[in-house]
Amino acid sequence: MNKKSNLLYHLYFGAFLFYMFAPLAIMGGAAFNDNKLPSVYPWKGFTERWFVDLMNDQVMWTSLRNTILVALAVVIISLPIGTAGAILVNSIAGRVRAVLYVVMVAPILMPGAVIGISTLLFWNNVSVPPGLHLSVLGQVSYIAAFVMLLVLARLQSFDQALEEAALDLGASHAQVLRRVLLPHLSPALYAGAAIAFFQSIENFNVTLFTRGTSNTLTVYVFSKVRSGITPTINALALMLIAVTAILALVYELRRRRQAKIEAAREAEARRAEEAMAI
Amino acid sequence: MSAGIDLDNVCCDFGTFRAVDHVNVSIKPGEFFSFLGPSGCGKTTILRMISGFNEPTEGVIRIGGKDVRGQRPNQRPTALIFQNLALFPLMSIWENISFGLEVRGVDKATRRKKAEELLKLVDLPGAADKMVSQLSGGQKQRVAIARALAVEPQVMLLDEPLSALDLKLRQHMRAELRAIQKRTGVTFIYITHDQGEALAMSDRVGVMSHGRLQQVADPRDIYNNPVNGFVASFVGENNVFSGTASPDGSGFARFDTQHGPFRARMAPGVTGKNIKLYVRPEHTILSETPAGENSVAVTVGDVAFEGNFISVTTTSDTGAQLVAELRNDGSTKVPATGGKLYASFDAAAAAILPDETAV
Amino acid sequence: MSAGIDLDNVCCDFGTFRAVDHVNVSIKPGEFFSFLGPSGCGKTTILRMISGFNEPTEGVIRIGGKDVRGQRPNQRPTALIFQNLALFPLMSIWENISFGLEVRGVDKATRRKKAEELLKLVDLPGAADKMVSQLSGGQKQRVAIARALAVEPQVMLLDEPLSALDLKLRQHMRAELRAIQKRTGVTFIYITHDQGEALAMSDRVGVMSHGRLQQVADPRDIYNNPVNGFVASFVGENNVFSGTASPDGSGFARFDTQHGPFRARMAPGVTGKNIKLYVRPEHTILSETPAGENSVAVTVGDVAFEGNFISVTTTSDTGAQLVAELRNDGSTKVPATGGKLYASFDAAAAAILPDETAV
Amino acid sequence: SSGEINFTGWAGYPDLAGKVFPAFEQATGIKVNFTELPDQDTMFAQAKVAIEAGGIDVIEPTIDRWGGWNSNGLLGPWDPAKLALDNYLPGLADGSAGERSRANGELFYVPSNWGTEALVANAADAKLSDVASLGDLFNPDNQVVVRPHSALAAMGRWLDAQGKLPRPWLDGYTDMDAMVQLWDIALAEAIKAKGNVVQWWSGENEANAGFTANGATLGLCWDSTGYNLRNDGYKYIAPAEGAFAWHQGFVLMKNATNIDQAHEFAKFVSTPEGSAMWATAFSSNPVGKGSSNFMNPDVSAYYNGTFDDAALAKLWWWPEQSAEFIAKRGEYADKYKAA
Amino acid sequence: MGDLLRRYGTGLTGTFFVLTAFWLLALVILPNITLLEASFRPYLPVTEIGGPKDVYSFDNYRKFTANPIDSNLLAIPVTMPIHTITFLNTVIYSAVVTFVTFLLSYPLAYYLAKIADPKSLPTLILLLFIPLWVSEALRAFAWYIILTLNGPLNAVLTGVGILEKPIRWQNGVFTAYDAIMIGLVYTYVLFMLFPIYGSVQSLDRNQIEAAEDLGAKWWQTHWRVILPHAKPGIASGCVMVFMLSAGSLLVPAQLGSTRSNWFTQSIQQWMLESQDWNTGAAYSFLYILLCMVVVLLVMWIFKVKLSDIAK
Ligand SMILES: Nc1ncnc2c1ncn2[C@@H]1O[C@H](COP(=O)(O)OP(=O)(O)OP(=O)(O)O)[C@@H](O)[C@H]1O
Ligand SMILES: Nc1ncnc2c1ncn2[C@@H]1O[C@H](COP(=O)(O)OP(=O)(O)OP(=O)(O)O)[C@@H](O)[C@H]1O
Ligand SMILES: [Mg+2]
Ligand SMILES: [Mg+2]
């Protein structure tokens, strides 16, 4: 593709990143603002007290741990469920498909309070006490729909001949799934995992009702609407961002180094090959 | 190990369209059998039925004498090379090749070794760690062949495996495939629309048209004694004349055409509306003087050079087109365009055949 | 309208790998030019550079005398038929064909009519409203051809457009393409690895190997006077002998091999490490008595029937393999396997050539 | 005694878990299992589940809301004998407040702390009447930040004070017909003045930012908002009509398992130290006699600056609001917002 | 079914069914049956439950069409039940949000799938995921700050002289829902991006080249070749973003103007503030039903068949 339009796309991507990050600057700055309001404005001077508060807040760290455990559980459960759902919707024809699809995506619309309350009541009826496990189930009920939608979009581009080729080579159905279909779906699965993870972290209402006495980060922090949410949460978010950004940087640098080594090796191999041929 | 395959009155419908129509054929264990036929005649469909991806609408398929209805593709001892190759784009070349072993639980080192061997066999050493997208069309096809060979099946089904290869490589792979087949004794069912390939490689050839099997015979018979006009003209070139036949009872007949009367072979049972006379260009002789019989005065038209032979298109005074093939062996005198010559053929080299098919 | 194309020292690198290596060739307006070469030799890459999908790493490409560097594919007056066809799966057949007109703003009725015409041309009438997935491999290829023809380009670039067609159809399409080319006067650049096709259709042929152009000449010259061993053996079959040459100054040379001395043509400038003697199977004569010169006693091995000719593989007492091609014209006596014969060839039919390439 | 108590209360007040509960445990040996929730609506929902699943002994709603809880069958009565009702300041657990704490003669609610919702005004820019009034909220020269339903109540009380209502505003809280009649008037008037509302608030952050970031000059907000903004040029002012006052306290779940401990807990928060600590944790006002000595002087000073005795005497306690009332109130709030 | 069995065998097909059944039955349908039942009963004090007033009716659902008020719908004055208006506004502006996210995401998806160096893709995508570490509420609050009177946007615009005096962006320049839409677009744009990226990425590059070679201009190539191919991804993305926007509570609550109301806020009000779970549940079910009708209707209008999305 030609260079000029590529440049436009690069610029657009840059602008988009700016758009994504501008609000983060606002809220990141708040982590250093000596103001109980989580905002850079009005600026009341530099402070590290929100970081100090964060470090001293044991509940916050426990909540963070809970949050991540719940999110991982949600990812682990909603990936297979969403994928299975997508495959079913993809292979079933006719009216059943439409009904199935509607029932699957409807939970996205369901207000968190409704999911939370209904999950709590239902599992209470079958003698499952509230707790983070219920939060996981409640969250999966609608997060699986995201996975389903992402996988469904990707399934559509799958070349069935590949499945046939694998079967023909003697692979069992499970092997076909693992070696051929899932690798093809992997971009959707990664995106699904990421979206499931972050949606879970985000979740307030469902968790609020189902968590029992445990806290997750969002619930812990955002319960404080009456007294006001303080910038400790900004401090935490900033730290998570920093960790992610550093990981991204390390990955990119390693990749570049790897690529250089790879290229050198390939050139070497080709020279050797050519030398042999002559 | 190898198994025979029987197709017993096999049909296959897609909706109301019959893609394969009452095909009957017995392929012997260890045989190299080719299906030859024009595009869309149902060759691929037959292969897909044998390997289990389509079920026959009617009829029975037996592999090694056992009815395989209901058996799933991964349970059948067949390996199919797909026409579109169907290589796994997310696996490296060697993983593609060793996939069949992987799913059988073979350990990695062995698989890798086997893959490298097969790569050498298909003339792609050093490609093991490339990705499918890095290969050219022909290279991909060779990987597909290697992948099917890896599982050492009892029946190999090959759907035009060489079509994207260049002549040199194709000839190398032909010989290779043939050698592998002989060595392993595996039954090969080969699909091609390249008659040269079918004739050169196969023990027997089945010629298809519109889902129907027209003739099953060994290559020489197919070429020399086609049962009908379709087979005659699909396999090799022909000069064709329309006319009316009067058999003389001795296996020959007089054939009256608008270019005059000819004489040619005519098998006893031959009937049908559309009877024609077929004679091959290489049996058509150009000379400066007329021959005793079956001789037509012609004007030389296009002279096409095709490598080992030269194809001369001539037109008779009555407007018929006759093509003669001359050997390019140095000694042959190539006629000049516009030259006046006589085209003739031996009665034994020409056959009167029913048209039978609607191609 | 048609335009000439000049490739001027064109190179193309993928990373550190040079896929096209200093190619120089001038293709005249209205010429039918073929690139012939083995898989992976860079043919597709050349076409992609001409149509603008890759930029040359070095060198200049001129279309109609104008340097096209930086011109986008949709600005170049070329139409490319992709090796993998690249039909649009979500459009119906006629929409595919008329896509090029659609983007030029032609109204629907005209487009539809044009599409139907082209479908008739490629022998697919009635397929207009089908979807791509409903066609067989060969049918798809014909649609791709129709789609490229629809935009009536000045230069048609064809990347093995016939490879999936059966022989009959291929011959029909060959003639069709050739006719279209002649009628429209459009420059055709044709990629194939089928030497028969290249030789039969082209005004000139460029033979490639490893990204380098080995020889550009008209078909007859390519076949009869290859400049080196690579061209000789890629285009057509050869019996090859190693040995040492002693030129006699008259264009011939004595060539000493382990099978005895031969005599053959040898062009004056020929030098190089790897000089060999090449003689074509159709120039190799089998006889019961030895000929005057260039004669070897052989034992008949495999006899392969290939339709219009029969290929006889023989082995000399010294272990050399010699293939002779006999015409299957009824009069030929097919030797029996194991028979003792003499293989010989005419000195004028044999050439001593440098190997030069590393195939 | 000893044991534990499952207490569900307000989130965001770290001193509760940091100071009050340890003190309580030290005094009584009872451990507090604290579940923090953002609002009493969530508390209600949790209570509805807990009535079947158990797990909650004591919750802390406001006095105007426990009636709805009780009609949902969630609450059990306190045993006055196990409490120390004498500990409470006058007017908080006796008198009309005392009456509102009872149903069918039984005590369902004991106070824990109280606070106000009054005017937060930008000292420089707010346009106030000579004596600041709720009516200033509807002065087009002010840019205000309010809660919809509080704004309507403020309008009603302002009209009431001017004698512009056909019947007392308070009637609306006991009689649904009166409510419709009165709120229709208030709504109509409020809509006329809606143009000067620049923002709704529902939590502390929004209220705070409404002033500092969004440039509001006047608001009807909780005392905590005024407190947080006290150093930024904002004043907390009791209006002439009297500040809205809220009252929060403890209710006992019908299926509570730690009854005695619950009583100990409620009693602790009525002691001078206990109530002072509780109020300090909320930055609000204590309910126990003699607690002022134990209050945070900063908080005390702030309150005393706003509320002199006259202002205290005029406090307008949010009346009890039935479920039906609240549903209707929501409708009016919606219409107000949509206008 | 036959197709499923053939492709995946009994074991896997069974697993798919069990997983899906667990999801839809145990997590979605059964838990909601209690509330569904409740939604047809009136909200009554505990003493009256089971009493004569406790009968099934559509009363709770009927509240949706009660209380007509005068209002504006897309600047057209209408008299309609208040919650119906809220519903229509929610749907309309969610649709606008969906469309804007699509406009923003499509070029980006194309960039990621076909232009960006595939090797740096993981890094780029990681970058895009970074904002997700910040909770939705905080991001909404950040936008609130940006759009406030004294906020950075006004500061910049007045600073460079584009605006003479600051504007209350939050209260809407075009509609009362401007700020909500800005917030929703920001929050959910990635949900549009990833499915479109997924489907564009699977398009054979030769398809694009073929179109270009046949003379198509860039937009023609997009319109006729890439977009149709990406349709399933676009549909998935649109459904997700629409549903998420329509179901969002935090963003409308934080960024809403003084004239905006989102339907989720109405539900929340019934459920929590009014403590009337019966009506709250009725509203949620009605909402889901109506939104699904909207989704299916739009799919029908745009000729997206479910069968396109799924294969
Ligand atoms: N799934 C299908 N649905 C409908 N028709 C089909 C289907 N598969 C094949 N056909 C039709 O059946 C006929 C035979 O197809 P098949 O693929 O077997 O041909 P083929 O002989 O392999 O041709 P080619 O040499 O071109 O690959 C064709 O006319 C084709 O259009
Ligand atoms: N994008 C690419 N990146 C790296 N290498 C490439 C790329 N495209 C082609 N090549 C390499 O360049 C060489 C020439 O490729 P090209 O596709 O031009 O071959 P070809 O002559 O068309 O072969 P075939 O007849 O098999 O299609 C091959 O070795 C191929 O592996
Ligand atoms: Mg086929
Ligand atoms: Mg190629």
Side-chain angles (χ1 to χ4, degrees), chain C residues 190-211:
Chain C
Y190 195 92
I191 282 190
T192 179
H193 49 234
D194 180 332
Q195 45 136 328
E197 209 161 283
L199 297 179
M201 298 175 81
S202 320
D203 295 323
R204 278 191 305 160
V205 176
V207 181
M208 289 188 70
S209 160
H210 283 94

Side-chain angles (χ1 to χ4, degrees), chain B residues 136-137, chain C residues 40 43-45 83 159-160 191:
Chain B
S136 75
Chain C
K43 306 182 295 292
T44 298
T45 308
Q83 196 166 14
D159 196 350
E160 312 195 15
I191 282 190

Side-chain angles (χ1 to χ4, degrees), chain E residues 93-113:
Chain E
Y93 293 113
S94 295
V96 175
V97 166
T98 308
F99 185 66
V100 173
T101 51
F102 166 68
L103 290 185
L104 282 178
S105 314
Y106 178 79
L108 207 62
Y110 180 74
Y111 170 81
L112 291 177

Side-chain angles (χ1 to χ4, degrees), chain D residues 41 44-45 65 69 71-73 143 194 198-200 209-210 212-214 326 329-331 334-335 337 339, chain E residues 43 45-46 67 69 82-83 144 148-150 168 170-171 253-254 257-259 261 269 272-275 277:
Chain D
D41 311 320
F44 172 78
R65 300 294 287 276
W69 297 45
S71 69
N72 273 282
Q143 268 125 31
K194 194 183 166 194
V198 296
Q199 196 187 313
W200 309 118
T212 56
N214 223 357
I326 289 173
R329 189 189 82 177
E331 256 171 41
D334 272 356
K335 288 181 186 172
K337 279 161 78 178
Chain E
Y43 172 46
V46 68
N67 267 313
I69 58 158
I82 181 159
H83 288 150
Y144 165 80
T148 49
L149 189 72
N150 302 327
R168 282 188 203 282
Q170 190 197 356
N171 268 346
Q254 182 65 257
S257 68
T258 53
R259 283 172 297 133
N261 211 359
Q269 187 170 312
L272 298 181
E273 202 177 318
S274 305
Q275 301 179 352
W277 290 8

Side-chain angles (χ1 to χ4, degrees), chain B residues 14 17 19 38-45 83 160 193, chain C residues 134-139:
Chain B
F14 293 113
F17 175 67
S39 174
C41 72
K43 306 182 293 294
T44 298
T45 309
Q83 195 167 13
E160 312 194 15
H193 48 233
Chain C
Q134 291 175 291
L135 300 188
S136 77
Q139 291 166 335

Side-chain angles (χ1 to χ4, degrees), chain B residues 163-167 170, chain C residues 36-37 160 191-195 234:
Chain B
S163 67
L165 303 186
D166 59 72
L167 184 72
R170 199 154 71 219
Chain C
L36 180 63
E160 312 195 15
I191 282 190
T192 179
H193 49 234
D194 180 332
Q195 45 136 328
F234 189 76

